[in-house]
PDB file of all heavy atoms in Angstrom:
ATOM      1  N   TRP A 439     -33.092 -14.042  47.267  1.00  0.00           N
ATOM      2  CA  TRP A 439     -31.994 -13.219  46.762  1.00  0.00           C
ATOM      3  C   TRP A 439     -30.674 -13.912  47.094  1.00  0.00           C
ATOM      4  O   TRP A 439     -30.387 -14.211  48.241  1.00  0.00           O
ATOM      5  CB  TRP A 439     -32.076 -11.835  47.408  1.00  0.00           C
ATOM      6  CG  TRP A 439     -31.110 -10.810  46.865  1.00  0.00           C
ATOM      7  CD1 TRP A 439     -30.743 -10.637  45.585  1.00  0.00           C
ATOM      8  CD2 TRP A 439     -30.416  -9.830  47.627  1.00  0.00           C
ATOM      9  NE1 TRP A 439     -29.858  -9.580  45.464  1.00  0.00           N
ATOM     10  CE2 TRP A 439     -29.632  -9.065  46.720  1.00  0.00           C
ATOM     11  CE3 TRP A 439     -30.379  -9.490  48.990  1.00  0.00           C
ATOM     12  CZ2 TRP A 439     -28.830  -8.004  47.116  1.00  0.00           C
ATOM     13  CZ3 TRP A 439     -29.598  -8.429  49.386  1.00  0.00           C
ATOM     14  CH2 TRP A 439     -28.810  -7.687  48.457  1.00  0.00           C
ATOM     15  N   VAL A 441     -27.651 -13.008  47.258  1.00  0.00           N
ATOM     16  CA  VAL A 441     -26.710 -12.281  48.122  1.00  0.00           C
ATOM     17  C   VAL A 441     -27.049 -12.475  49.587  1.00  0.00           C
ATOM     18  O   VAL A 441     -26.183 -12.357  50.474  1.00  0.00           O
ATOM     19  CB  VAL A 441     -26.710 -10.778  47.749  1.00  0.00           C
ATOM     20  CG1 VAL A 441     -25.691  -9.996  48.584  1.00  0.00           C
ATOM     21  CG2 VAL A 441     -26.415 -10.590  46.256  1.00  0.00           C
ATOM     22  N   MET A 447     -22.593 -11.775  57.118  1.00  0.00           N
ATOM     23  CA  MET A 447     -21.144 -11.522  57.182  1.00  0.00           C
ATOM     24  C   MET A 447     -20.828 -10.111  56.674  1.00  0.00           C
ATOM     25  O   MET A 447     -20.016  -9.389  57.266  1.00  0.00           O
ATOM     26  CB  MET A 447     -20.411 -12.569  56.337  1.00  0.00           C
ATOM     27  CG  MET A 447     -18.906 -12.382  56.257  1.00  0.00           C
ATOM     28  SD  MET A 447     -18.128 -13.700  55.298  1.00  0.00           S
ATOM     29  CE  MET A 447     -18.823 -13.392  53.665  1.00  0.00           C
ATOM     30  N   TYR A 448     -21.489  -9.710  55.555  1.00  0.00           N
ATOM     31  CA  TYR A 448     -21.254  -8.371  55.009  1.00  0.00           C
ATOM     32  C   TYR A 448     -21.797  -7.291  55.951  1.00  0.00           C
ATOM     33  O   TYR A 448     -21.232  -6.191  56.041  1.00  0.00           O
ATOM     34  CB  TYR A 448     -21.910  -8.234  53.629  1.00  0.00           C
ATOM     35  CG  TYR A 448     -21.388  -9.207  52.590  1.00  0.00           C
ATOM     36  CD1 TYR A 448     -22.240  -9.800  51.660  1.00  0.00           C
ATOM     37  CD2 TYR A 448     -20.030  -9.544  52.536  1.00  0.00           C
ATOM     38  CE1 TYR A 448     -21.765 -10.702  50.698  1.00  0.00           C
ATOM     39  CE2 TYR A 448     -19.540 -10.437  51.585  1.00  0.00           C
ATOM     40  CZ  TYR A 448     -20.424 -11.017  50.678  1.00  0.00           C
ATOM     41  OH  TYR A 448     -19.930 -11.899  49.743  1.00  0.00           O
ATOM     42  N   ASP A 449     -22.893  -7.606  56.670  1.00  0.00           N
ATOM     43  CA  ASP A 449     -23.475  -6.626  57.601  1.00  0.00           C
ATOM     44  C   ASP A 449     -22.514  -6.297  58.734  1.00  0.00           C
ATOM     45  O   ASP A 449     -22.428  -5.144  59.190  1.00  0.00           O
ATOM     46  CB  ASP A 449     -24.793  -7.162  58.180  1.00  0.00           C
ATOM     47  CG  ASP A 449     -25.945  -7.060  57.189  1.00  0.00           C
ATOM     48  OD1 ASP A 449     -25.769  -6.361  56.161  1.00  0.00           O
ATOM     49  OD2 ASP A 449     -27.003  -7.665  57.424  1.00  0.00           O
ATOM     50  N   GLU A 450     -21.791  -7.299  59.206  1.00  0.00           N
ATOM     51  CA  GLU A 450     -20.829  -7.059  60.291  1.00  0.00           C
ATOM     52  C   GLU A 450     -19.787  -6.026  59.864  1.00  0.00           C
ATOM     53  O   GLU A 450     -19.423  -5.136  60.634  1.00  0.00           O
ATOM     54  CB  GLU A 450     -20.137  -8.376  60.673  1.00  0.00           C
ATOM     55  CG  GLU A 450     -21.020  -9.347  61.431  1.00  0.00           C
ATOM     56  CD  GLU A 450     -20.256 -10.610  61.835  1.00  0.00           C
ATOM     57  OE1 GLU A 450     -18.999 -10.560  61.875  1.00  0.00           O
ATOM     58  OE2 GLU A 450     -20.899 -11.635  62.101  1.00  0.00           O
ATOM     59  N   ILE A 451     -19.308  -6.155  58.608  1.00  0.00           N
ATOM     60  CA  ILE A 451     -18.327  -5.193  58.083  1.00  0.00           C
ATOM     61  C   ILE A 451     -18.989  -3.832  57.902  1.00  0.00           C
ATOM     62  O   ILE A 451     -18.406  -2.787  58.221  1.00  0.00           O
ATOM     63  CB  ILE A 451     -17.749  -5.693  56.739  1.00  0.00           C
ATOM     64  CG1 ILE A 451     -17.101  -7.072  56.905  1.00  0.00           C
ATOM     65  CG2 ILE A 451     -16.745  -4.695  56.171  1.00  0.00           C
ATOM     66  CD1 ILE A 451     -16.719  -7.755  55.603  1.00  0.00           C
ATOM     67  N   PHE A 452     -20.240  -3.850  57.389  1.00  0.00           N
ATOM     68  CA  PHE A 452     -20.960  -2.603  57.110  1.00  0.00           C
ATOM     69  C   PHE A 452     -21.052  -1.721  58.358  1.00  0.00           C
ATOM     70  O   PHE A 452     -20.807  -0.496  58.294  1.00  0.00           O
ATOM     71  CB  PHE A 452     -22.360  -2.951  56.577  1.00  0.00           C
ATOM     72  CG  PHE A 452     -23.226  -1.761  56.281  1.00  0.00           C
ATOM     73  CD1 PHE A 452     -23.071  -1.031  55.107  1.00  0.00           C
ATOM     74  CD2 PHE A 452     -24.213  -1.361  57.186  1.00  0.00           C
ATOM     75  CE1 PHE A 452     -23.870   0.071  54.839  1.00  0.00           C
ATOM     76  CE2 PHE A 452     -25.022  -0.260  56.919  1.00  0.00           C
ATOM     77  CZ  PHE A 452     -24.845   0.459  55.734  1.00  0.00           C
ATOM     78  N   PHE A 453     -21.385  -2.313  59.498  1.00  0.00           N
ATOM     79  CA  PHE A 453     -21.597  -1.512  60.703  1.00  0.00           C
ATOM     80  C   PHE A 453     -20.291  -1.043  61.352  1.00  0.00           C
ATOM     81  O   PHE A 453     -20.313  -0.258  62.298  1.00  0.00           O
ATOM     82  CB  PHE A 453     -22.459  -2.294  61.703  1.00  0.00           C
ATOM     83  CG  PHE A 453     -23.892  -2.394  61.256  1.00  0.00           C
ATOM     84  CD1 PHE A 453     -24.429  -3.607  60.856  1.00  0.00           C
ATOM     85  CD2 PHE A 453     -24.708  -1.261  61.203  1.00  0.00           C
ATOM     86  CE1 PHE A 453     -25.739  -3.704  60.425  1.00  0.00           C
ATOM     87  CE2 PHE A 453     -26.033  -1.349  60.784  1.00  0.00           C
ATOM     88  CZ  PHE A 453     -26.552  -2.564  60.386  1.00  0.00           C
ATOM     89  N   LEU A 455     -18.188   0.570  59.451  1.00  0.00           N
ATOM     90  CA  LEU A 455     -17.787   1.658  58.548  1.00  0.00           C
ATOM     91  C   LEU A 455     -18.557   2.951  58.812  1.00  0.00           C
ATOM     92  O   LEU A 455     -18.715   3.794  57.923  1.00  0.00           O
ATOM     93  CB  LEU A 455     -17.986   1.218  57.087  1.00  0.00           C
ATOM     94  CG  LEU A 455     -17.167  -0.002  56.648  1.00  0.00           C
ATOM     95  CD1 LEU A 455     -17.526  -0.429  55.233  1.00  0.00           C
ATOM     96  CD2 LEU A 455     -15.664   0.302  56.737  1.00  0.00           C
ATOM     97  N   ILE A 462     -23.443   4.268  54.140  1.00  0.00           N
ATOM     98  CA  ILE A 462     -22.032   4.650  54.288  1.00  0.00           C
ATOM     99  C   ILE A 462     -21.613   5.464  53.072  1.00  0.00           C
ATOM    100  O   ILE A 462     -22.136   5.304  51.973  1.00  0.00           O
ATOM    101  CB  ILE A 462     -21.120   3.400  54.425  1.00  0.00           C
ATOM    102  CG1 ILE A 462     -21.260   2.462  53.207  1.00  0.00           C
ATOM    103  CG2 ILE A 462     -21.406   2.661  55.705  1.00  0.00           C
ATOM    104  CD1 ILE A 462     -20.266   1.319  53.193  1.00  0.00           C
ATOM    105  N   ASN A 466     -15.799   5.806  52.765  1.00  0.00           N
ATOM    106  CA  ASN A 466     -15.718   4.696  53.709  1.00  0.00           C
ATOM    107  C   ASN A 466     -15.844   3.346  52.998  1.00  0.00           C
ATOM    108  O   ASN A 466     -15.175   2.376  53.349  1.00  0.00           O
ATOM    109  CB  ASN A 466     -16.813   4.829  54.766  1.00  0.00           C
ATOM    110  CG  ASN A 466     -16.481   5.907  55.787  1.00  0.00           C
ATOM    111  OD1 ASN A 466     -15.328   6.350  55.857  1.00  0.00           O
ATOM    112  ND2 ASN A 466     -17.465   6.341  56.561  1.00  0.00           N
ATOM    113  N   ALA A 467     -16.716   3.296  51.981  1.00  0.00           N
ATOM    114  CA  ALA A 467     -16.875   2.052  51.228  1.00  0.00           C
ATOM    115  C   ALA A 467     -15.578   1.720  50.494  1.00  0.00           C
ATOM    116  O   ALA A 467     -15.180   0.553  50.420  1.00  0.00           O
ATOM    117  CB  ALA A 467     -18.028   2.188  50.240  1.00  0.00           C
ATOM    118  N   LYS A 468     -14.900   2.750  49.996  1.00  0.00           N
ATOM    119  CA  LYS A 468     -13.666   2.535  49.254  1.00  0.00           C
ATOM    120  C   LYS A 468     -12.604   1.866  50.123  1.00  0.00           C
ATOM    121  O   LYS A 468     -11.893   0.957  49.665  1.00  0.00           O
ATOM    122  CB  LYS A 468     -13.157   3.864  48.706  1.00  0.00           C
ATOM    123  CG  LYS A 468     -11.850   3.750  47.929  1.00  0.00           C
ATOM    124  CD  LYS A 468     -11.381   5.108  47.437  1.00  0.00           C
ATOM    125  CE  LYS A 468     -10.039   4.975  46.713  1.00  0.00           C
ATOM    126  NZ  LYS A 468      -9.529   6.268  46.230  1.00  0.00           N
ATOM    127  N   GLU A 470     -12.896  -0.249  52.401  1.00  0.00           N
ATOM    128  CA  GLU A 470     -13.136  -1.685  52.513  1.00  0.00           C
ATOM    129  C   GLU A 470     -12.965  -2.388  51.164  1.00  0.00           C
ATOM    130  O   GLU A 470     -12.360  -3.457  51.070  1.00  0.00           O
ATOM    131  CB  GLU A 470     -14.549  -1.939  53.054  1.00  0.00           C
ATOM    132  CG  GLU A 470     -14.920  -3.403  53.175  1.00  0.00           C
ATOM    133  CD  GLU A 470     -13.980  -4.193  54.097  1.00  0.00           C
ATOM    134  OE1 GLU A 470     -13.459  -3.616  55.072  1.00  0.00           O
ATOM    135  OE2 GLU A 470     -13.786  -5.403  53.827  1.00  0.00           O
ATOM    136  N   MET A 471     -13.479  -1.772  50.100  1.00  0.00           N
ATOM    137  CA  MET A 471     -13.482  -2.425  48.781  1.00  0.00           C
ATOM    138  C   MET A 471     -12.076  -2.605  48.224  1.00  0.00           C
ATOM    139  O   MET A 471     -11.809  -3.579  47.514  1.00  0.00           O
ATOM    140  CB  MET A 471     -14.364  -1.639  47.803  1.00  0.00           C
ATOM    141  CG  MET A 471     -15.866  -1.718  48.146  1.00  0.00           C
ATOM    142  SD  MET A 471     -16.902  -0.615  47.141  1.00  0.00           S
ATOM    143  CE  MET A 471     -16.768  -1.381  45.523  1.00  0.00           C
ATOM    144  N   ALA A 488     -23.616  -1.473  41.975  1.00  0.00           N
ATOM    145  CA  ALA A 488     -24.176  -1.650  43.323  1.00  0.00           C
ATOM    146  C   ALA A 488     -24.963  -0.425  43.805  1.00  0.00           C
ATOM    147  O   ALA A 488     -25.924  -0.569  44.562  1.00  0.00           O
ATOM    148  CB  ALA A 488     -23.056  -1.974  44.311  1.00  0.00           C
ATOM    149  N   LEU A 496     -23.982   3.841  49.887  1.00  0.00           N
ATOM    150  CA  LEU A 496     -24.456   2.460  49.869  1.00  0.00           C
ATOM    151  C   LEU A 496     -25.175   2.142  51.168  1.00  0.00           C
ATOM    152  O   LEU A 496     -24.650   2.406  52.256  1.00  0.00           O
ATOM    153  CB  LEU A 496     -23.285   1.482  49.700  1.00  0.00           C
ATOM    154  CG  LEU A 496     -22.420   1.583  48.437  1.00  0.00           C
ATOM    155  CD1 LEU A 496     -21.351   0.497  48.459  1.00  0.00           C
ATOM    156  CD2 LEU A 496     -23.253   1.486  47.173  1.00  0.00           C
ATOM    157  N   ASP A 497     -26.388   1.571  51.053  1.00  0.00           N
ATOM    158  CA  ASP A 497     -27.025   1.040  52.259  1.00  0.00           C
ATOM    159  C   ASP A 497     -26.546  -0.395  52.457  1.00  0.00           C
ATOM    160  O   ASP A 497     -25.696  -0.881  51.709  1.00  0.00           O
ATOM    161  CB  ASP A 497     -28.548   1.148  52.169  1.00  0.00           C
ATOM    162  CG  ASP A 497     -29.137   0.341  51.004  1.00  0.00           C
ATOM    163  OD1 ASP A 497     -28.464  -0.597  50.529  1.00  0.00           O
ATOM    164  OD2 ASP A 497     -30.271   0.642  50.572  1.00  0.00           O
ATOM    165  N   ASP A 498     -27.096  -1.089  53.450  1.00  0.00           N
ATOM    166  CA  ASP A 498     -26.576  -2.416  53.774  1.00  0.00           C
ATOM    167  C   ASP A 498     -26.778  -3.413  52.629  1.00  0.00           C
ATOM    168  O   ASP A 498     -25.921  -4.261  52.365  1.00  0.00           O
ATOM    169  CB  ASP A 498     -27.220  -2.946  55.067  1.00  0.00           C
ATOM    170  CG  ASP A 498     -28.731  -3.066  54.949  1.00  0.00           C
ATOM    171  OD1 ASP A 498     -29.348  -2.130  54.404  1.00  0.00           O
ATOM    172  OD2 ASP A 498     -29.293  -4.079  55.383  1.00  0.00           O
ATOM    173  N   GLU A 499     -27.920  -3.309  51.917  1.00  0.00           N
ATOM    174  CA  GLU A 499     -28.157  -4.232  50.798  1.00  0.00           C
ATOM    175  C   GLU A 499     -27.211  -3.931  49.634  1.00  0.00           C
ATOM    176  O   GLU A 499     -26.670  -4.841  49.010  1.00  0.00           O
ATOM    177  CB  GLU A 499     -29.616  -4.122  50.338  1.00  0.00           C
ATOM    178  CG  GLU A 499     -30.609  -4.760  51.312  1.00  0.00           C
ATOM    179  CD  GLU A 499     -32.023  -4.726  50.777  1.00  0.00           C
ATOM    180  OE1 GLU A 499     -32.377  -3.778  50.048  1.00  0.00           O
ATOM    181  OE2 GLU A 499     -32.790  -5.662  51.087  1.00  0.00           O
ATOM    182  N   GLU A 500     -27.036  -2.649  49.332  1.00  0.00           N
ATOM    183  CA  GLU A 500     -26.140  -2.269  48.245  1.00  0.00           C
ATOM    184  C   GLU A 500     -24.701  -2.652  48.566  1.00  0.00           C
ATOM    185  O   GLU A 500     -23.943  -3.095  47.682  1.00  0.00           O
ATOM    186  CB  GLU A 500     -26.249  -0.770  47.966  1.00  0.00           C
ATOM    187  CG  GLU A 500     -27.588  -0.356  47.368  1.00  0.00           C
ATOM    188  CD  GLU A 500     -27.748   1.149  47.279  1.00  0.00           C
ATOM    189  OE1 GLU A 500     -27.187   1.849  48.157  1.00  0.00           O
ATOM    190  OE2 GLU A 500     -28.409   1.645  46.356  1.00  0.00           O
ATOM    191  N   PHE A 501     -24.306  -2.490  49.831  1.00  0.00           N
ATOM    192  CA  PHE A 501     -22.946  -2.864  50.241  1.00  0.00           C
ATOM    193  C   PHE A 501     -22.751  -4.384  50.112  1.00  0.00           C
ATOM    194  O   PHE A 501     -21.699  -4.850  49.652  1.00  0.00           O
ATOM    195  CB  PHE A 501     -22.703  -2.409  51.681  1.00  0.00           C
ATOM    196  CG  PHE A 501     -21.332  -2.754  52.201  1.00  0.00           C
ATOM    197  CD1 PHE A 501     -20.209  -2.034  51.793  1.00  0.00           C
ATOM    198  CD2 PHE A 501     -21.145  -3.812  53.084  1.00  0.00           C
ATOM    199  CE1 PHE A 501     -18.941  -2.365  52.258  1.00  0.00           C
ATOM    200  CE2 PHE A 501     -19.881  -4.146  53.552  1.00  0.00           C
ATOM    201  CZ  PHE A 501     -18.772  -3.409  53.136  1.00  0.00           C
ATOM    202  N   ALA A 502     -23.762  -5.145  50.518  1.00  0.00           N
ATOM    203  CA  ALA A 502     -23.685  -6.606  50.385  1.00  0.00           C
ATOM    204  C   ALA A 502     -23.583  -6.992  48.907  1.00  0.00           C
ATOM    205  O   ALA A 502     -22.809  -7.891  48.542  1.00  0.00           O
ATOM    206  CB  ALA A 502     -24.915  -7.256  51.023  1.00  0.00           C
ATOM    207  N   LEU A 503     -24.341  -6.285  48.042  1.00  0.00           N
ATOM    208  CA  LEU A 503     -24.290  -6.557  46.605  1.00  0.00           C
ATOM    209  C   LEU A 503     -22.896  -6.265  46.051  1.00  0.00           C
ATOM    210  O   LEU A 503     -22.356  -7.040  45.259  1.00  0.00           O
ATOM    211  CB  LEU A 503     -25.344  -5.703  45.880  1.00  0.00           C
ATOM    212  CG  LEU A 503     -25.327  -5.759  44.350  1.00  0.00           C
ATOM    213  CD1 LEU A 503     -25.556  -7.185  43.853  1.00  0.00           C
ATOM    214  CD2 LEU A 503     -26.380  -4.810  43.777  1.00  0.00           C
ATOM    215  N   ALA A 504     -22.298  -5.141  46.491  1.00  0.00           N
ATOM    216  CA  ALA A 504     -20.953  -4.788  46.030  1.00  0.00           C
ATOM    217  C   ALA A 504     -19.958  -5.883  46.399  1.00  0.00           C
ATOM    218  O   ALA A 504     -19.105  -6.276  45.587  1.00  0.00           O
ATOM    219  CB  ALA A 504     -20.535  -3.447  46.630  1.00  0.00           C
ATOM    220  N   ASN A 505     -20.065  -6.408  47.599  1.00  0.00           N
ATOM    221  CA  ASN A 505     -19.150  -7.461  48.041  1.00  0.00           C
ATOM    222  C   ASN A 505     -19.389  -8.761  47.269  1.00  0.00           C
ATOM    223  O   ASN A 505     -18.447  -9.511  46.977  1.00  0.00           O
ATOM    224  CB  ASN A 505     -19.300  -7.696  49.543  1.00  0.00           C
ATOM    225  CG  ASN A 505     -18.509  -6.694  50.361  1.00  0.00           C
ATOM    226  OD1 ASN A 505     -17.304  -6.837  50.565  1.00  0.00           O
ATOM    227  ND2 ASN A 505     -19.194  -5.636  50.815  1.00  0.00           N
ATOM    228  N   HIS A 506     -20.663  -9.027  46.944  1.00  0.00           N
ATOM    229  CA  HIS A 506     -20.971 -10.217  46.148  1.00  0.00           C
ATOM    230  C   HIS A 506     -20.337 -10.106  44.759  1.00  0.00           C
ATOM    231  O   HIS A 506     -19.760 -11.075  44.251  1.00  0.00           O
ATOM    232  CB  HIS A 506     -22.491 -10.364  46.024  1.00  0.00           C
ATOM    233  CG  HIS A 506     -22.904 -11.534  45.182  1.00  0.00           C
ATOM    234  ND1 HIS A 506     -22.889 -12.842  45.644  1.00  0.00           N
ATOM    235  CD2 HIS A 506     -23.337 -11.608  43.883  1.00  0.00           C
ATOM    236  CE1 HIS A 506     -23.279 -13.659  44.677  1.00  0.00           C
ATOM    237  NE2 HIS A 506     -23.569 -12.927  43.595  1.00  0.00           N
ATOM    238  N   LEU A 507     -20.405  -8.927  44.147  1.00  0.00           N
ATOM    239  CA  LEU A 507     -19.810  -8.715  42.827  1.00  0.00           C
ATOM    240  C   LEU A 507     -18.282  -8.795  42.894  1.00  0.00           C
ATOM    241  O   LEU A 507     -17.642  -9.276  41.954  1.00  0.00           O
ATOM    242  CB  LEU A 507     -20.251  -7.367  42.261  1.00  0.00           C
ATOM    243  CG  LEU A 507     -21.745  -7.258  41.909  1.00  0.00           C
ATOM    244  CD1 LEU A 507     -22.109  -5.820  41.529  1.00  0.00           C
ATOM    245  CD2 LEU A 507     -22.104  -8.213  40.772  1.00  0.00           C
ATOM    246  N   ILE A 508     -17.700  -8.338  43.999  1.00  0.00           N
ATOM    247  CA  ILE A 508     -16.254  -8.489  44.190  1.00  0.00           C
ATOM    248  C   ILE A 508     -15.887  -9.971  44.226  1.00  0.00           C
ATOM    249  O   ILE A 508     -14.909 -10.412  43.601  1.00  0.00           O
ATOM    250  CB  ILE A 508     -15.799  -7.780  45.489  1.00  0.00           C
ATOM    251  CG1 ILE A 508     -15.823  -6.255  45.292  1.00  0.00           C
ATOM    252  CG2 ILE A 508     -14.397  -8.240  45.911  1.00  0.00           C
ATOM    253  CD1 ILE A 508     -15.574  -5.459  46.558  1.00  0.00           C
TER     254      ILE A 508
END
Side-chain angles (χ1 to χ4, degrees):
W439 187 39
V441 183
M447 177 178 65
Y448 299 142
D449 283 347
E450 287 182 20
I451 302 170
F452 178 80
F453 288 111
L455 299 175
I462 58 172
N466 285 345
K468 179 181 178 181
E470 178 59 32
M471 291 172 68
L496 300 182
D497 62 21
D498 60 317
E499 287 184 328
E500 292 172 328
F501 180 75
L503 174 60
N505 278 278
H506 178 78
L507 293 173
I508 287 172

